[in-house]
């Protein structure tokens, strides 16, 4: 029998949010980020989350909330059960699990504020 | 189609990419009093390859034993199998010590002996101990964070992360800036610049198993090629022989094993638990200094002969090393391994070659300028210095050295010219892509990227055949057609489908060029191994360069650039 993780993910953007459920097969030892990347390839390419280094916990971009705790998705273990994934609550929400984590002076808004 | 309002920016020097090369270029250009805009498609100083470089940095400091850049150059040229642009290789080796000392002054934390000398390890392919490091797999993160701190101290440098550059803008045959879009809010961006430095790294993301960040999809090569610059040596993709394969290991760089292999003599074993590199004429004699291309060859041939490990690689074993020596060498890494259920005194790990670095890249003169005036490039984005095979430890050194030189050159040029030749009319076509929406489609670019990675791994990996390369070209051409000419409609903020579409556009062009160059080179040399042409041929001691003609990549051969004889002495 193939084991699966059920990822319940807070999706959308401010003003239009929803929860989506994705079932992903996994092998023991995989990370939550492995599961998310697999969802993008196999089910929904629009699922947004940040990552750069994939596996090394070097870029520190994949920070999010898993079951209410702030973790790096690349080192949080995927488990064969329901896991709830949310964007960071204390950062501006961009889309799905992606939040604005760049230092304020490294954002495009710092040089070109949005009009709306 | 709808068209959105565009963010407009202007600068003297535009630096694309914020790894070690881009940050070094930005610092140097700022110190030369040019205005600098440093952009990255990810966060500033966190993506790319530098932060992942847990390894060593080659430099002739002579802290362990007497050394000279000429010896480092001789090793670099020998590793390059006759294809190094010796002028670029010389610049790398001669300027390496200054670059490494500068980082030392900036307190990067090079590992030291008790008497204060910087430690230098003896890595494969070097004639003596030459490779500095920050201990316990921290070299890359330490280099990145040190440079990030220096970039911040150079307060005039403007930094914008989450900015994906989609095309360079060329006016009257001269670089004039770039266009792209802001990933965080989807707005199109136009950047007018007097000079442009492409420093966004290599192409390892083209391969399923790789050691770099997700943003290393060859975008710098594609940007330069579409802008009219040439690429060189694109057939030479370096595979790192002992990338981690199994058991699943998280929180670690897949190339982590190498320094421990040299420190402790980790043994490579086949399924019969027998050391095998000697069988391929590569006697290690306990030195574990076999070069990367030869180790890759030996491992893949063992797997092919049915003597591989269960996950499709070979074993790396430290079981002969006492636990206290393991602890001393690995330090806190032992605990991270334990969290992954790995106890090296009891279990072997499985390793296999993974895409690690690209020797080829943008063709530049020793000034780091391309054939397009005012367009410069630096770091892994350039080709030539490392020929057909890069010497271990040269990647960070070249990023620092070439970044600095490109930054100085681009700033000097920017100060001499009146303004950017930018004209909106010339930028309009390039700006249309990020500023407009194509038709909605069911295309899944993330799945197409995964397919391309599998294709490149199977047919354009370290061992190639005409049949495999032809098959790859057909598939790449088909995928390019399915991509279409316009990106999917923008969702605005952090639109990953659209980002993947732009990435795939670059990846397919670069994959095409790599495959085409590999098909043309009917010999085996360094990182390019043709099973149907196994010998290295004297006639092929030439570089292949690629330029676009009427939108199609065209290959030509040029003689290798050598040093004048007096300079090599």
């Amino acid at each position: 029998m193939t084991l699966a993780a059920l990822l319940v993910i807070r999706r959308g953007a401010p003003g239009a949010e929803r929860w989506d459920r994705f079932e992903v097969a996994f092998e023991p030892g995989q990370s939550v980020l492995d599961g998310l990347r697999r969802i993008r390839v196999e089910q929904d390419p629009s699922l947004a989350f940040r990552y750069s280094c994939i596996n090394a916990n070097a870029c520190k971009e994949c920070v999010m909330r898993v079951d209410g705790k702030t973790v790096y998705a690349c080192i949080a273990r995927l488990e064969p059960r329901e896991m709830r994934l949310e964007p960071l609550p204390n950062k501006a929400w961009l889309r799905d699990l992606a939040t604005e984590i760049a230092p304020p002076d490294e954002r495009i808004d710092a040089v070109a504020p949005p009009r709306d | 189609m709808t068209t959105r309002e565009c963010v407009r920016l202007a600068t003297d020097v535009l630096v694309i990419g914020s790894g070690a090369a881009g940050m070094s270029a930005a610092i140097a250009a700022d110190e030369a009093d040019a205005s600098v805009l440093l952009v990255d498609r990810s966060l500033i100083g966190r993506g790319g390859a530098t932060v992942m470089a847990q390894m060593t940095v080659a430099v002739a400091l002579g802290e362990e034993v007497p050394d000279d850049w000429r010896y480092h150059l001789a090793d670099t040229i020998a590793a390059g199998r006759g294809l190094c642009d010796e002028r670029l290789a010389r610049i790398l080796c001669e300027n390496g010590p200054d670059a490494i000392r500068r980082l030392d002054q900036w307190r990067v934390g090079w590992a030291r002996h008790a008497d204060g000398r910087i430690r230098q390890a003896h890595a494969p392919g070097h004639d003596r101990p030459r490779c500095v490091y920050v201990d316990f797999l921290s070299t890359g993160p330490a280099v990145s964070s040190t440079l990030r701190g220096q970039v911040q101290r150079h307060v005039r440098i403007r930094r914008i992360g989450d900015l994906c550059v989609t095309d360079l803008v060329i006016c009257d045959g001269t670089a004039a800036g770039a266009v792209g879009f802001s990933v965080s809010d989807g707005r199109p961006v136009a950047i007018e610049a007097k000079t442009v430095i492409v420093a966004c790294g290599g192409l390892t993301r083209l391969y399923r198993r790789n050691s770099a960040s997700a943003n290393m999809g060859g975008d710098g090569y594609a940007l330069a090629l579409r802008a009219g610059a040439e690429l060189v040596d694109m057939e030479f993709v370096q595979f790192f022989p002992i990338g981690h394969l199994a058991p699943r290991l998280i929180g670690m760089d897949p190339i982590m094993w190498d320094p421990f292999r040299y420190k402790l003599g980790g043994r490579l074993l086949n399924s019969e638990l027998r050391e095998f590199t000697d069988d391929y004429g590569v006697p290690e004699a306990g030195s574990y200094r076999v070069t990367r291309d030869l180790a890759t060859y030996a491992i893949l041939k063992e797997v092919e002969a049915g003597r591989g490990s269960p996950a499709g690689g070979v074993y790396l074993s430290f079981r002969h090393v006492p636990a206290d020596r393991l602890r001393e060498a690995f330090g806190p890494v032992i605990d991270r391994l334990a969290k992954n259920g790995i106890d090296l005194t009891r279990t072997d790990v499985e390793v296999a070659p993974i895409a690690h670095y690209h020797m080829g890249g943008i063709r530049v003169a020793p000034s780091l300028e391309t054939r397009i005036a005012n367009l410069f490039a630096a770091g892994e984005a350039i080709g030539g210095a490392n020929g057909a095979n890069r010497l271990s430890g040269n990647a960070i050194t070249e990023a620092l050295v070439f970044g600095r030189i490109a930054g100085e050159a681009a700033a000097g040029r920017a100060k001499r010219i009146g303004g950017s030749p930018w004209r909106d009319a010339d930028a309009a076509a390039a700006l249309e892509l990020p500023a407009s929406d194509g038709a909605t489609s069911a295309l899944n670019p993330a799945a197409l990227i995964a397919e391309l990675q599998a294709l490149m791994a199977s047919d354009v990996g370290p061992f190639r055949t005409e049949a495999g390369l032809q098959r790859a070209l057909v598939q790449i051409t088909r995928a390019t057609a399915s991509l279409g000419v316009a990106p999917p409609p923008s969702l605005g903020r952090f639109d990953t489908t659209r980002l993947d579409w732009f990435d795939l556009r670059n990846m397919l062009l670069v994959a095409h060029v790599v495959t085409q160059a590999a098909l043309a080179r009917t010999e085996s040399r360094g990182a390019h191994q043709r099973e149907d042409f196994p010998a290295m041929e004297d006639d092929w001691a030439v570089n292949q360069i690629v330029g676009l003609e009427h939108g199609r990549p065209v290959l030509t051969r040029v003689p290798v650039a050598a040093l004048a004889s007096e300079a090599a002495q």
Side-chain angles (χ1 to χ4, degrees):
Chain A
M1 193 186 82
T2 314
L3 290 174
L6 183 65
L7 298 184
V8 181
I9 302 176
R10 191 171 168 213
R11 302 282 310 267
E17 69 169 278
R18 66 181 193 276
W19 290 83
D20 277 356
R21 300 163 73 85
F22 296 97
E23 194 177 287
V24 273
F26 85 113
E27 48 184 287
Q30 281 191 318
S31 66
V32 169
L33 184 63
D34 291 335
L36 290 171
R37 292 172 60 218
R38 193 157 174 165
I39 291 171
R40 294 204 62 236
V41 170
E42 295 176 357
Q43 302 183 46
D44 184 350
S46 75
L47 178 62
F49 48 92
R50 284 181 180 275
Y51 71 101
S52 176
C53 79
I54 301 175
N55 198 50
N57 197 221
C59 72
K60 310 291 184 187
E61 280 198 48
C62 63
V63 61
M64 60 181 65
R65 299 272 272 195
V66 175
D67 294 331
K69 285 189 186 146
T70 300
V71 299
Y72 293 107
C74 72
I75 53 172
R77 296 280 179 189
L78 193 64
E79 291 172 29
R81 61 176 177 85
E82 181 174 311
M83 303 180 84
R84 291 172 80 80
L85 275 51
E86 294 171 83
L88 290 179
N90 58 339
K91 301 282 180 188
W93 192 18
L94 295 175
R95 173 179 308 281
D96 300 345
L97 299 169
T99 50
E100 182 54 274
I101 57 171
D105 61 346
E106 293 182 355
R107 300 176 192 169
I108 195 143
D109 290 359
V111 292
R115 291 213 171 161
D116 50 358
Chain B
M1 284 198 181
T2 58
T3 300
R4 281 176 297 281
E5 178 108 17
C6 175
V7 175
R8 303 198 65 126
L9 303 168
T11 184
D12 288 345
V13 180
L14 169 64
V15 182
I16 304 168
S18 67
M23 290 195 284
S24 298
I27 291 166
D30 178 72
E31 288 177 351
D33 284 326
S35 70
V36 179
L37 177 59
L38 174 64
V39 305
D40 196 292
R41 48 162 294 159
S42 174
L43 301 179
I44 295 292
R46 292 188 181 275
T50 303
V51 75
M52 296 286 287
Q54 298 188 338
M55 305 286 300
T56 61
V57 182
V59 58
L61 292 180
E63 299 261 316
E64 295 285 344
V65 295
D67 200 357
D68 185 279
W69 65 264
R70 291 169 188 84
Y71 302 138
H72 182 192
L73 177 60
D75 286 346
T76 298
I77 289 173
R81 305 284 192 278
L83 293 198
C84 290
D85 181 325
E86 295 183 359
R87 303 164 308 171
L88 292 173
R90 176 188 171 153
I91 292 169
L92 189 173
C93 297
E94 192 173 6
N95 292 278
D98 278 353
I100 296 311
R101 301 272 184 214
R102 189 176 299 114
L103 273 181
D104 193 46
Q105 284 162 13
W106 289 341
R107 297 170 195 273
V108 72
W110 300 127
R112 286 187 136 84
H113 291 284
D115 62 7
R117 283 175 304 126
I118 294 175
R119 287 182 186 266
Q120 295 190 272
H122 195 159
H126 291 270
D127 70 344
R128 67 196 71 205
R130 186 174 287 136
C131 294
V132 304
Y133 55 94
V134 178
D135 225 333
F136 303 127
L137 304 178
S138 300
T139 301
V143 168
S144 275
S145 99
T146 301
L147 288 171
R148 208 160 60 230
Q150 289 299 321
V151 165
Q152 285 167 5
R153 279 172 195 215
H154 289 70
V155 295
R156 296 179 302 183
I157 299 173
R158 282 186 299 163
R159 317 179 301 275
I160 304 179
D162 285 334
L163 200 167
C164 179
V165 171
T166 54
D167 275 296
L168 302 178
V169 173
I170 307 299
C171 300
D172 304 325
T174 303
V179 296
F181 65 99
S182 160
V183 177
S184 49
D185 63 17
R187 284 186 291 171
V189 180
I191 307 166
E192 212 173 294
K194 293 181 187 172
T195 57
V196 178
I197 302 173
V198 175
C200 41
L203 52 59
T204 38
R205 190 190 179 193
L206 293 183
Y207 291 86
R208 184 179 52 212
R209 289 186 193 135
N210 68 67
S211 65
S213 300
N215 43 22
M216 301 282 285
D219 45 351
Y221 307 140
L223 291 174
L225 193 60
R226 284 196 299 264
E230 293 164 315
L231 307 180
V232 62
D233 293 340
M234 291 301 285
E235 62 272 40
F236 296 103
V237 180
Q238 183 168 61
F239 282 75
F240 184 86
I242 55 168
H244 184 83
L245 189 58
R248 186 76 180 93
L249 177 60
I250 61 176
M252 308 285 287
D253 181 341
I255 65 162
M256 58 167 288
W257 297 112
D258 220 30
F260 302 119
R261 186 163 129 80
Y262 345 128
K263 270 191 192 173
L264 299 172
R267 300 164 69 208
L268 285 179
L269 308 174
N270 62 15
S271 61
E272 299 160 358
L273 300 184
R274 185 171 64 75
E275 289 190 82
F276 56 85
T277 54
D278 288 9
D279 303 348
Y280 298 91
V282 200
E284 291 210 285
S287 69
Y288 305 103
R289 280 171 200 146
V290 53
T291 55
R292 289 173 173 175
D293 49 350
L294 294 173
T296 297
Y297 179 78
I299 292 170
L300 292 183
K301 285 292 162 187
E302 278 307 286
V303 173
E304 197 178 288
R307 293 188 295 271
S309 63
V314 296
Y315 294 108
L316 174 64
S317 178
F318 292 95
R319 279 186 288 159
H320 59 291
V321 181
D324 57 336
R325 279 206 67 211
L326 285 171
R327 166 62 67 176
E328 185 194 354
F330 280 78
V333 177
I334 286 282
D335 303 317
R336 277 193 263 163
L337 290 170
K339 279 188 193 164
N340 282 279
I342 296 172
D343 174 357
L344 294 177
T345 64
R346 290 162 182 276
T347 47
D348 298 336
V349 296
E350 293 179 54
V351 295
I354 61 175
H356 181 49
Y357 176 84
H358 190 48
M359 271 68 73
I362 302 167
R363 189 175 188 222
V364 291
S367 62
L368 281 303
E369 191 166 6
T370 68
R371 77 171 174 182
I372 300 295
N374 303 341
L375 177 61
F376 297 79
E380 190 174 346
I382 71 166
N386 298 291
N389 179 51
R390 176 175 60 87
L391 184 67
S392 175
N394 270 358
I396 296 285
T397 316
E398 75 170 354
L400 297 167
V401 166
F402 293 140
R404 185 156 196 93
I405 293 171
E408 286 167 353
R413 179 72 53 78
K415 283 159 65 185
R416 285 196 299 278
I417 59 181
S420 167
W422 178 285
R423 277 192 303 263
D424 282 352
D426 292 327
L431 193 55
E432 190 175 304
L433 275 188
S436 62
D437 297 328
T440 306
S441 82
L443 190 79
N444 179 343
L448 286 175
I449 287 172
E451 280 170 34
L452 177 64
Q453 290 171 323
L455 175 73
M456 293 299 283
S458 66
D459 287 338
V460 199
F463 292 91
R464 298 149 178 191
T465 62
E466 178 171 355
L469 293 166
Q470 294 284 14
R471 188 161 58 226
L473 272 185
V474 169
Q475 293 282 88
I476 291 165
T477 304
R478 190 175 299 157
T480 305
S482 72
L483 185 68
V485 294
S490 175
L491 299 171
R493 300 169 174 202
F494 222 89
D495 182 346
T496 49
T497 310
R498 204 164 148 94
L499 188 58
D500 277 347
W501 188 90
F502 279 103
D503 282 347
L504 190 56
R505 168 180 177 245
N506 291 334
M507 291 171 80
L508 286 167
L509 174 59
V510 175
H512 189 282
V513 167
V514 171
T515 308
Q516 190 178 0
L519 190 57
R521 183 175 284 276
T522 47
E523 65 147 2
S524 291
R525 180 184 299 265
H528 169 74
Q529 295 289 321
R530 285 285 298 261
E531 301 207 69
D532 41 0
F533 297 95
M536 187 158 95
E537 306 288 348
D538 291 344
D539 289 353
W540 268 111
V542 292
N543 300 112
Q544 294 193 100
I545 60 173
V546 185
L548 282 191
E549 285 177 22
H550 308 292
R552 296 181 63 83
V554 174
L555 283 172
T556 46
R557 296 177 199 171
V558 296
V560 177
L563 286 173
S565 57
E566 81 284 359
Q569 282 157 22

